[in-house]
Every structure is written in C-alpha cells, then in structure tokens.
Amino acid sequence: MFQLYIGNKNYSSWSMRPWVLLRQAGIAFEEVPLRFDSFDEGSQFKQKIQAVTPTGKVPVLVDGDLAVWDTLAIAEYVAEKHPDKALWPADAAARARARSVCAEMHSGFSALRGACPMNIEARLPDTGALLWRDRPAVRADVARLIEMWTALLQAHGGPLLFGGFTIADAFFAPVCSRLTTYALPLPAHIAGYVERVLALPGVQDWVRGAEAEADFLDFEEPYRLGRTAR
C-alpha cells in the first residue's frame, strides 16, 4: 500500500493534490500527516520529512523502498501503477493538454498563490475584495484560469475539465478552494465548475479533515489573528 506524507490539511495545497487524486480514484493509501511546526532547519517537521525525502517538503509518496516527491511526479507514478483508473484522458491530444495545464498550475499562478494562500477553514471575502482591487496580477491569474477552464469545459462537455475526473481536476482543487475562501469574482459557468470540484467526495473528505484540525498556525495566516469559532 502507498504511504502519502502530507502537511496540515487546512494549509497544504501541494499535499491536497495527490491526496484528493488517490481518494477520489479509490486507490488505497496510508496517510502520514506531519504537522507544520515551522519550516526552519531543526524543526520537527523538517527532521521527519528529511528522513523520507532530500527536498524536505511534502507531499511524498512512498511505495515500498521508493520515495516519489513532487506532485507531478507522484501523479505520473500513480497513473502508471493504476492504468485502470484512467487518471489521464484516453485521447492523446487531450492527455497532452491535461499534462500542459497541470504543469502550468505547477509552475504558474504565483500571484494568486502568494496573495491568497490556501486556508480551507477561513472565509475571507473582505480580504479577497481588497486583493481584487489592488493586485492586478491576481486578476490576471484568475482571468487565465477562466480562459483555460472555459476552453476545456467547452471542448470536453464537462462536468469536469476533461469530462470525467482526471489528474487535472485534482491539481486545480486547491485553486477552487482559494477562489471560494477569498470570494473572488467568477462568471457563472466557472463558479459552477468550482462547485462541482468542491463537491467531489475526495475533496469533501479532505475539507472535513481540514476543518477538524483546529490547528491555527500564525505563520500561515497573513490575514487573521485567530481561528474562526465554529
């Protein structure tokens, strides 16, 4: 059985991607959570994860003696190990496009990721309104998402980016969470896609875990002084 090392579910967007991929696809794995006490050398988090991967970062997928790090590498490895799950589109052109948009997510959208860190438990519409007003790079990132998602939904007929669930939807699940947390403006058809992703059972399972953590980390919270009471 795979082991998947992850960070705090409320904050770790990189951990969310392979976790949701495995859970939504029905692939058995053991979750190994590592709390973000800090990212400094010598922290408990760094000591534990550096025993598994030289990068000192999550997520990491362990399969026997093999450790696979980086979300794209993990996704590719899982897809190769489970071809029956059809985690990439069957059509070669669609598969290439799916890989392209996953790579774009992996390396791009830095303004959105930097200004709007993932925070599943929070609701920050006022912060989102200020960021939308003052950060043209955030608006540009969201415009690119709208353009990309619109084209894919039209090309493949929905309900998800390539019809059924694929790695691409898992890669954009944390973005859907960000867009919701900060209430960034979206056209109706894109808001519908966001809702459908957040309603996926694998995503819902992650969200429930994030909300149950009750682990407020001030260094992950640029906009709040405490955790919302629920």
Side-chain angles (χ1 to χ4, degrees):
M1 183 186 295
F2 292 143
Q3 290 181 309
L4 183 66
Y5 287 74
I6 63 170
N8 286 57
K9 288 182 177 177
N10 195 50
Y11 304 112
S12 185
S13 59
W14 295 105
S15 298
M16 184 181 183
R17 294 183 177 98
W19 194 101
V20 165
L21 177 64
L22 291 166
R23 180 59 63 90
Q24 184 64 27
I27 298 170
F29 68 100
E30 176 189 353
E31 173 187 313
V32 185
L34 300 180
R35 182 178 184 269
F36 289 158
D37 59 327
S38 86
F39 302 124
D40 297 334
E41 294 300 323
S43 66
Q44 289 189 16
F45 170 77
K46 282 292 187 181
Q47 290 178 22
K48 290 177 179 178
I49 196 60
Q50 283 173 342
V52 183
T53 171
T55 67
K57 298 177 181 179
V58 288
V60 182
L61 184 78
V62 174
D63 185 15
D65 295 331
L66 175 67
V68 185
W69 58 88
D70 186 279
T71 51
L72 272 174
I74 292 170
E76 290 283 10
Y77 183 76
V78 171
E80 288 181 2
K81 294 283 283 188
H82 291 274
D84 57 305
K85 299 295 185 180
L87 298 178
W88 290 117
D91 176 75
R95 192 162 60 251
R97 180 59 58 83
R99 285 190 166 107
S100 295
V101 298
C102 287
E104 183 177 352
M105 179 65 256
H106 193 264
S107 61
F109 302 99
S110 58
L112 178 62
R113 289 189 292 161
C116 303
M118 193 173 82
N119 197 330
I120 288 173
E121 177 268 332
R123 290 295 177 267
L124 302 168
D126 293 341
T127 299
L130 291 174
L131 293 170
W132 190 258
R133 185 192 69 185
D134 298 337
R135 305 283 186 96
V138 170
R139 298 196 299 271
D141 277 355
V142 173
R144 172 57 189 144
L145 287 170
I146 292 170
E147 176 190 45
M148 175 200 296
W149 292 351
T150 297
L152 293 173
L153 291 168
Q154 289 177 347
H156 300 284
L160 301 177
L161 294 180
F162 292 88
F165 175 78
T166 68
I167 291 168
D169 302 299
F171 261 66
F172 286 107
V175 177
C176 293
S177 176
R178 283 182 165 97
L179 294 171
T180 300
T181 294
Y182 298 91
L184 300 182
L186 301 171
H189 69 289
I190 296 299
Y193 170 69
V194 169
E195 291 174 2
R196 291 191 294 275
V197 169
L198 295 179
L200 291 170
V203 176
Q204 285 287 296
D205 286 347
W206 178 274
V207 169
R208 281 190 288 270
E211 292 176 340
E213 280 178 339
D215 189 15
F216 184 88
L217 302 177
D218 56 0
F219 59 88
E220 291 278 13
E221 292 276 358
Y223 306 118
R224 302 193 302 171
L225 298 178
R227 189 177 191 273
T228 303
R230 285 185 181 269

